[in-house]
Amino acid sequence: MSEPQSASEQPDDPYVVSFELILAAGTAKSKAMEAVELAREGRLNAARQALARADDDFRQAHDIQFALLQREAGREHVDVDIVLVHANDHLTMALMAKENAEILIELYSRIHALEARLPSTTVSSPPPTTPADQTTATDTNTNTPHKYEGELK
């Protein structure tokens, strides 16, 4: 990602500004989601590093948005079109992804720490379900007890 631009260096083309914001926010969101996946895999240090790398992109997106706000505050009208609204939606979603990633990394950290304390035989995936396990209350065979029979009465 390139260095953030000051308000005076911002391009005048509103589409360029909007798409730079979309790019920075989208990249930040992708890195936050990558961090969650790394944490899920148990690669917690790598997850934290990915989230830290996302901060540069978040800063760039924030700087773009802040420059627009400065221009408007300085009584220089900023045209708000659907592309700029879309860009701000991207930034909002990216910020939510970052907040969720921080929470999920912490939760995965706790999960992996707890799993490490368990005997290795108890940490396994559940067995796959078989068609016999998937009996429902809509079965037509009245001789077979229904899985949800007690709940239907």
Side-chain angles (χ1 to χ4, degrees), residues 58-135:
F58 279 113
R59 231 175 269 105
Q60 184 173 7
H62 175 266
D63 289 347
I64 293 167
Q65 186 182 53
F66 187 70
L68 291 170
L69 291 170
Q70 283 181 316
R71 287 167 60 182
E72 189 74 31
R75 300 193 191 274
E76 180 184 340
H77 178 70
V78 175
D79 288 328
V80 178
D81 58 18
I82 192 67
V83 179
L84 182 57
V85 171
H86 181 69
N88 278 289
D89 286 346
H90 271 273
L91 180 55
T92 301
M93 293 304 295
L95 290 169
M96 290 300 302
K98 179 186 179 195
E99 290 174 12
N100 288 336
E102 290 168 346
I103 293 166
L104 288 168
I105 289 169
E106 173 62 26
L107 291 175
Y108 278 124
S109 176
R110 290 179 182 187
I111 290 168
H112 291 297
L114 289 170
E115 286 179 342
R117 293 172 42 192
L118 294 174
S120 61
T121 57
T122 61
V123 180
S124 63
S125 58
T129 58
T130 61
D133 294 335
Q134 298 173 355
T135 305

Side-chain angles (χ1 to χ4, degrees), residues 9-23:
E9 296 172 337
Q10 285 287 324
D12 289 329
D13 184 345
Y15 287 109
V16 171
V17 173
S18 295
F19 284 110
E20 284 181 352
L21 182 54
I22 290 169
L23 176 63

